[in-house]
Amino acid sequence: MAGCASLAPDGGERDVQSLVGGNAILGDATPRAAPDAASREAVDALLAQPLDAQAAVRIALANGPRMQEAFATLQLSDADRVQAASLPNPVFAFGRLREGRELEIERAIGFNVLGLLTLPWQARWAGQRHEVAKLQAAQSVLQLAADTRRAWVRAVAAQQAVVYLRDAESATEAGAELAERMARVGNWSALQRTREQLLHADAAAQLARAEQAALSAREQLTRLLGLNAAQAGYRLPDRLPPLPVSMPALADVQASALRDRLDVRAAQAQTAATADSLGLTHATRFVDALEIGGVRNTKFENDADGSRRTQQGFELSLPIPLFDWGQARSARAEALYRQSAARVRATGLLAASEAREAYGGWRSAWDIAQRYQTEVLPLRQQVNEQMVLRYNGMLASVWELLAETRASMLAVNAAMDAQRDFWLADTDLQFALTGSSPAGVNALQSPGDSAALPSTAGAH
């Protein structure tokens, strides 16, 4: 039964979808192994509207090249699983010997008996390794979704910053032009005119820098979405979404990380696979190869009668445990198991720590953005209204009004930055609860794990 394994018809797509289903980072998005006609039509429909964060994630998971690479890697693991669970092929040997006029032809067919006996272990171990590969593919899905959300937040925030900096640059341009006129008629000094021109030049430089940052952020999002040049003209919303009114509890965040994080689940699956390979190593400690086969030898006398003799029998080959008693293999397998168990504990500690750190960043970003929304901007609005009243009553000059306008724009820009930082922190928190860190992913791909299995290639 173990030798009847077959490739997954969908390349593991449904298994990955079940692992990441209901995740907050994905929302209603579904990862696809390869884009089809229906998904292409869905992408075109999403691009026809202003692209929100959820639509960006849906496009990335259906059309992004990183998604296709992740599923291709999973299919490689599936192929390794089927290969490990396949029955070993018999070996045919042919020999031709001549002594004088005598000719001897030897034919033998052999079969790796130990490979057959250990096939259930091999198949189960490969299946467990494939389960780890599924978790790693699901991790790639979550990583792509998180990167797409971050890129979308940065692109929208950069676009929004450009709009406000253009207003600030227009205000400084008006101030510089007015200063030039007043200096020309002798009402202002050259120093005052130069200061206004310097403000305008600095605002123009900041605007150029912001436009370049917006272009870079948009192109980064375009790459993650897997869009070509013809599709790169999509529209983004004018501003980021408002802040949420509720926040999760720290205890719930930490418990969710230990329960749902993929690197924790993958480390546990890896430990189970290592434990199985440890049992196989102990079972084949002394004899790690065994072959049996049938032999048929025919000897031709090449005399006048054309006589010949045929011998039939069987051949059994196995190594003699004279020098290597398997202590090193057993010790190595046990060390790998202890390493895997320690990795599970380290992954759990890492998950809880990263969840607390992400929650702290989320709470801090929320507090800062909320303060800007509820205190700084309303107070700045009141100052602007009072300054306009003073200007209308001829109690403030146009320069004071322009200066207050520039200060207000800087405050609005700082509030937008705080809002952007919050949504980036929100993505980091969601990913910390269900994904894993790069260190956790690398730890699951230890090159020494596969060496826990003994060799069953056979001895000749």
Side-chain angles (χ1 to χ4, degrees):
M1 294 297 294
C4 298
S6 60
L7 294 171
D10 61 348
E13 182 175 315
R14 293 184 180 178
D15 295 330
V16 174
Q17 290 174 357
S18 64
L19 286 173
V20 300
N23 193 281
I25 297 181
L26 269 64
D28 60 350
T30 303
R32 299 291 183 185
D36 51 14
S39 63
R40 293 189 184 96
E41 292 179 0
V43 168
D44 293 338
L46 291 173
L47 293 176
Q49 305 294 328
L51 193 67
D52 59 13
Q54 185 58 40
V57 172
R58 291 176 61 185
I59 293 176
L61 296 188
N63 190 64
R66 281 173 53 180
M67 193 76 278
Q68 300 169 23
E69 180 182 1
F71 276 107
T73 304
L74 181 60
Q75 291 172 1
L76 290 175
S77 174
D78 192 32
D80 293 339
R81 175 188 64 85
V82 174
Q83 182 65 41
S86 300
L87 290 169
N89 291 324
V91 178
F92 174 76
F94 177 83
R96 185 177 186 276
L97 303 175
R98 177 181 290 277
E99 182 180 359
R101 292 192 306 171
E102 292 185 353
L103 175 64
E104 181 178 352
I105 296 178
E106 178 180 344
R107 299 169 295 275
I109 184 169
F111 195 81
N112 189 348
V113 179
L114 188 63
L116 177 62
L117 295 177
T118 59
L119 185 63
W121 269 304
Q122 297 275 2
R124 184 167 64 250
W125 184 83
Q128 290 169 338
R129 288 287 296 174
H130 186 55
E131 292 300 321
V132 175
K134 290 179 184 178
L135 291 171
Q136 292 173 348
Q139 163 69 20
S140 299
V141 172
L142 297 180
Q143 183 70 62
L144 176 59
D147 291 344
T148 302
R149 286 189 179 275
R150 295 188 189 101
W152 181 88
V153 169
R154 293 190 178 99
V156 175
Q159 175 183 274
Q160 193 174 355
V162 168
V163 174
Y164 279 93
L165 285 176
R166 283 175 181 166
D167 293 339
E169 192 270 343
S170 298
T172 56
E173 182 181 12
E177 183 179 353
L178 182 58
E180 176 67 26
R181 293 179 180 179
M182 295 186 68
R184 191 181 303 124
V185 297
N187 293 334
W188 263 33
S189 65
L191 177 60
Q192 292 172 309
R193 179 192 61 189
T194 305
R195 284 175 176 171
E196 292 298 324
Q197 292 175 343
L198 180 60
L199 287 175
H200 176 236
D202 183 65
Q206 292 184 19
L207 175 60
R209 189 180 297 112
E211 289 174 343
Q212 178 57 39
L215 176 62
S216 299
R218 184 184 178 90
E219 288 300 325
Q220 182 182 5
L221 177 60
T222 302
R223 291 192 295 270
L224 291 173
L225 299 180
L227 303 179
N228 54 37
Q231 298 172 313
Y234 56 88
R235 293 176 294 160
L236 292 173
D238 295 333
R239 61 187 62 196
L240 292 172
L243 300 177
V245 296
S246 61
M247 61 185 65
L250 177 59
D252 296 338
V253 166
Q254 185 169 325
S256 177
L258 293 175
R259 181 183 64 251
D260 300 332
R261 273 184 53 138
L262 294 178
D263 57 347
V264 175
R265 297 163 62 182
Q268 293 171 347
Q270 186 84 332
T271 301
T274 305
D276 267 359
S277 67
L278 176 60
L280 177 57
T281 302
H282 283 315
T284 59
R285 175 179 177 182
F286 300 107
V287 178
D288 62 349
L290 175 63
E291 273 199 1
I292 188 171
V295 180
R296 179 184 175 91
N297 291 341
T298 302
K299 181 178 291 188
F300 299 89
E301 299 294 344
N302 288 331
D303 52 11
D305 298 335
S307 59
R308 62 181 182 180
R309 292 176 297 169
T310 301
Q311 298 174 330
Q312 298 180 0
F314 69 92
E315 183 181 70
L316 179 68
S317 63
L318 71 161
I320 301 175
L322 184 61
F323 303 108
D324 183 6
W325 288 81
Q327 300 96 328
R329 289 196 305 274
S330 296
R332 189 175 191 279
E334 292 174 358
L336 283 173
Y337 176 75
R338 291 194 297 269
Q339 182 189 58
S340 182
R343 189 176 298 150
V344 172
R345 180 174 179 270
T347 305
L349 294 175
L350 177 67
S353 176
E354 288 186 345
R356 293 192 299 269
E357 181 182 3
Y359 179 80
W362 186 95
R363 181 60 187 266
S364 177
W366 187 88
D367 289 339
I368 295 174
Q370 185 71 8
R371 185 172 294 274
Y372 269 102
Q373 296 291 336
T374 59
E375 297 182 21
V376 176
L377 293 183
L379 292 175
R380 177 56 63 182
Q381 180 66 25
Q382 293 179 16
V383 171
N384 287 343
E385 293 174 355
Q386 293 297 322
M387 182 58 67
V388 171
L389 291 176
R390 291 176 59 83
Y391 175 75
N392 291 335
M394 305 184 68
L395 299 176
S397 66
V398 65
W399 305 109
E400 293 175 322
L401 183 61
L402 289 175
E404 191 59 41
T405 301
R406 290 193 295 265
S408 298
M409 291 179 178
L410 292 177
V412 171
N413 192 48
M416 290 189 303
D417 289 343
Q419 193 175 11
R420 176 204 62 195
D421 294 341
F422 166 77
W423 285 113
L424 293 176
D426 182 74
T427 301
D428 294 340
L429 176 61
Q430 296 297 334
F431 186 69
L433 297 183
T434 53
S436 68
S437 65
V441 175
N442 295 332
L444 298 178
Q445 301 172 342
S446 175
D449 291 345
S450 60
L453 282 175
S455 172
T456 57
H460 297 277

